[in-house]
Amino acid sequence: YAAVASVALLISIGLWKYVTDNQGELNILIEAPLAQTREVLLPDSSKVWMQKGSSLRYAKAFLKDRKVWLKGNSFFEVMRQNGVPFQVYINQGMIEVKGTSFDIHQNQNQQTNEIILFCGKVDFTAENHETIEMQPFQKLTYYIKKDNITKEWLRNIKYKNGSFQFTNLPLKQLIETINSRYNSNIKLEGINLKQQSAFTGKIRLEESLKDVLQKICYSLSLEMKANGNEIIIYKNNH
């Protein structure tokens, strides 16, 4: 069974490759296309929802040594397997999973790693740091350049059966969550955040960014428009 764990994902045709490491051992490399997301079922029945442009590598003998190396952002739903831990290696850090569901965001430009835990337990270890145990509904941010780690509690967010449930989530926090999950650049314009209603609703993992924003705008009576690489969400007062 999965004790359910980021931030979008459609099942799509990705790229599977066999690669060898420095010791010549055979590994499996999975890549999500640059323009699409991908859902992957690992040999132990764990699920990974890979963001576009992400890649995942693991050994052919994965069932004996459940280690994966992730580039980019992905959401994990890990099957518990007694005696065989599940480890995710990311930039400058490692997450050891104990049957859980969690989100990983790696920002190469800002040199940050974010882990958001929704269910179960994970241990995060950064280089030259002690291991940190995370509890459900905690967000850990590792600032690589500053060599600093922060941890905070999530509010108004729950996860169940492949969906995020938001309850009275402030719009600013919602947009920050969406930008992190979809690696998007959404900005708010001309909105009085003190007067704006908070968002209550459900967002499924497989929903596209466009569908999510349409749902938010409809719920909160807002409009959106594209401005180059940005998406502007605004209030139409006419």
Side-chain angles (χ1 to χ4, degrees):
Y1 62 95
V4 184
S6 261
V7 219
L9 315 169
L10 301 170
I11 300 176
S12 59
I13 298 175
L15 302 175
W16 294 72
K17 299 179 182 178
Y18 290 95
V19 296
T20 55
D21 59 19
N22 293 333
Q23 286 72 45
E25 295 196 11
L26 191 63
N27 292 281
I28 296 171
L29 175 66
I30 307 170
E31 297 177 322
L34 291 175
Q36 292 179 305
T37 54
R38 180 167 190 213
E39 181 181 341
V40 174
L41 184 67
L42 296 176
D44 66 345
S45 296
S46 295
K47 294 180 181 179
V48 186
W49 287 267
M50 299 174 63
Q51 290 282 359
K52 55 188 179 182
S54 299
S55 66
L56 191 72
R57 179 171 60 86
Y58 59 89
K60 192 174 181 182
F62 175 77
L63 291 175
K64 296 180 180 178
D65 191 11
R66 297 198 302 167
K67 295 179 180 178
V68 300
W69 285 261
L70 172 70
K71 288 185 178 180
N73 306 329
S74 293
F75 184 95
F76 287 78
E77 193 170 278
V78 176
M79 295 295 288
R80 182 176 288 120
Q81 201 173 100
N82 291 335
V84 186
F86 189 105
Q87 296 176 334
V88 183
Y89 289 83
I90 59 176
N91 183 25
Q92 304 289 322
M94 184 270 284
I95 302 125
E96 181 161 314
V97 183
K98 302 172 180 179
T100 188
S101 300
F102 60 100
D103 219 352
I104 297 174
H105 305 283
Q106 301 183 79
N107 189 313
Q108 297 298 326
N109 294 329
Q110 298 180 14
Q111 285 290 288
T112 59
N113 293 331
E114 286 184 2
I115 298 96
I116 302 175
L117 179 62
F118 292 97
C119 180
K121 291 172 66 177
V122 302
D123 289 339
F124 174 76
T125 306
E127 291 185 2
N128 304 317
H129 284 267
E130 294 183 357
T131 296
I132 297 175
E133 182 177 278
M134 293 182 64
Q135 301 296 325
F137 299 104
Q138 281 188 332
K139 172 184 172 181
L140 181 148
T141 305
Y142 175 33
Y143 300 91
I144 297 172
K145 285 186 176 180
K146 297 178 181 179
D147 195 28
N148 183 43
I149 298 173
T150 63
K151 197 164 59 169
E152 60 185 288
W153 290 98
L154 296 178
R155 305 293 181 191
N156 310 88
I157 303 175
K158 293 190 179 297
Y159 172 84
K160 185 177 181 180
N161 299 330
S163 295
F164 296 101
Q165 178 66 51
F166 301 97
T167 304
N168 292 324
L169 188 69
L171 180 59
K172 186 175 183 292
Q173 185 181 345
L174 175 64
I175 295 305
E176 289 174 352
T177 302
I178 298 300
N179 276 332
S180 178
R181 159 131 287 280
Y182 289 89
N183 197 27
S184 54
N185 188 15
I186 304 165
K187 294 187 176 180
L188 302 174
E189 190 174 278
I191 298 174
N192 188 328
L193 295 176
K194 293 183 179 180
Q195 296 180 357
Q196 179 62 49
S197 300
F199 177 75
T200 296
K202 185 183 293 186
I203 294 176
R204 302 186 309 277
L205 279 173
E206 69 271 15
E207 283 190 87
S208 68
L209 176 61
K210 179 181 178 181
D211 289 343
V212 167
L213 292 181
Q214 286 179 341
K215 179 184 294 185
I216 292 170
C217 288
Y218 178 79
S219 174
L220 300 178
S221 300
L222 298 172
E223 304 285 344
M224 65 177 176
K225 61 184 178 182
N227 182 21
N229 294 325
E230 297 179 345
I231 299 174
I232 307 297
I233 292 182
Y234 63 98
K235 186 83 171 179
N236 190 342
N237 295 314
H238 299 293

